[in-house]
Amino acid sequence: MTEKTWKPELLLRLLMGFLLCIGVGGLTAPLALGKEASATDEGKFVSMVCFSLVMHGGGLLLVAHFLRGHGLTWAQGFGFRETSLLTAVTYGCAAALAFLPFAWTLGQLSATVMELIGTKPEAQQAVKMLQKTTIPLQQVYFGFMAIVLAPVVEELYFRGLLYTALKQAGQQRAALWGSSLFFALTHANVMSFVPLTVLAFMLVWLYEKTGNLLSCIAAHATFNLVNFVLLINQPVI
């Protein structure tokens, strides 16, 4: 993979800005709607929309500013021209499809272990909201967030920036484990922690294999797409 040289001060500024986006996104809807309205199903959906738009939208703007500070284009910063678009997407989709059965198995094993120790397995909050809703507009938004927004922004930050920065500092193992565990932790769900950690390992391998972050984005999007389709068709299945 083409080595990057991220400036520490710009990286720190970027991470601080992203944390600010997370904080602002989490507070926007509760402050605007009020405590009672935010607790309803509609309020929770509005809160999620506000949170994701502020976090993901702000995150993309911060990355653009970060790249300008380095004098790099998006293609130069994340290897978009290291391989062809077709090659990157093919690698990503194939890797995700091959990994999915393994991920489902790990999820079931995690749920079984949780039940054995007396803990109730629960899906992520976004997944539970998607399972409840029958409103097409909400389903479209969840799909856009899962298949487009989340894969792009999460891959930029976790593989493109965090993993690369730690590796650049000479910490290969810390780069792999640190970025992968943090990726899983940010999803705030015990049952999906192990599958997401292993998914992150696979995404790092893809980035090293192709040098093109598009392969990671394609894999992440494919992984989420298949799970999304299964979730919205769960009653029929």
Side-chain angles (χ1 to χ4, degrees):
M1 186 182 70
T2 301
E3 296 295 335
K4 314 297 187 308
T5 305
W6 299 139
K7 298 176 182 177
E9 66 277 10
L10 291 180
L11 185 64
L12 180 61
R13 192 183 306 169
L14 172 77
L15 295 176
M16 290 176 64
F18 190 57
L19 290 174
L20 179 62
C21 288
I22 292 174
V24 172
L27 292 173
T28 300
L31 290 176
L33 298 175
K35 185 176 181 180
E36 292 185 3
S38 298
T40 64
D41 289 340
E42 292 79 8
K44 289 178 181 178
F45 176 71
V46 171
S47 296
M48 180 161 289
V49 171
C50 291
F51 177 74
S52 62
L53 290 180
V54 172
M55 183 183 73
H56 293 113
L60 288 173
L61 291 175
L62 287 167
V63 173
H65 178 72
F66 176 80
L67 291 173
R68 280 199 301 271
H70 287 84
L72 298 173
T73 64
W74 289 80
Q76 292 169 333
F78 301 110
F80 293 160
R81 292 176 184 166
E82 290 291 321
T83 57
S84 69
L85 175 63
L86 179 60
T87 299
V89 171
T90 301
Y91 262 103
C93 292
L97 292 173
F99 175 72
L100 273 163
F102 186 50
W104 294 330
T105 302
L106 288 175
Q108 289 298 319
L109 288 174
S110 296
T112 301
V113 171
M114 290 177 68
E115 289 173 346
L116 288 174
I117 63 176
T119 303
K120 181 182 178 182
E122 291 189 5
Q124 295 179 47
Q125 182 63 31
V127 171
K128 290 192 287 187
M129 291 177 65
L130 176 60
Q131 289 173 323
K132 286 182 180 179
T133 186
T134 57
I135 302 173
L137 183 61
Q138 291 188 7
Q139 292 178 333
V140 169
Y141 174 75
F142 278 118
F144 177 71
M145 182 177 69
I147 302 164
V148 180
L149 275 181
V152 171
V153 176
E154 290 178 10
E155 292 313 308
L156 286 171
Y157 275 84
F158 287 104
R159 258 60 64 181
L161 295 172
L162 180 59
Y163 169 76
T164 304
L166 291 172
K167 183 185 176 185
Q168 171 191 312
Q171 302 296 325
Q172 180 68 51
R173 289 185 180 180
L176 173 63
W177 284 93
S179 63
S180 299
L181 291 172
F182 190 42
F183 170 75
L185 281 170
T186 57
H187 289 79
N189 184 260
V190 177
M191 189 171 67
S192 64
F193 180 79
V194 173
L196 289 178
T197 300
V198 181
L199 170 65
F201 291 162
M202 185 267 285
L203 293 169
V204 167
W205 173 81
L206 270 177
Y207 198 22
E208 289 286 355
K209 180 74 175 178
T210 65
N212 190 337
L213 195 67
L214 287 175
S215 63
C216 303
I217 294 171
H220 198 149
T222 302
F223 182 84
N224 286 1
L225 171 63
V226 174
N227 283 300
F228 175 79
V229 171
L230 291 175
L231 279 170
I232 62 175
N233 289 286
Q234 195 172 42
V236 177
I237 296 172

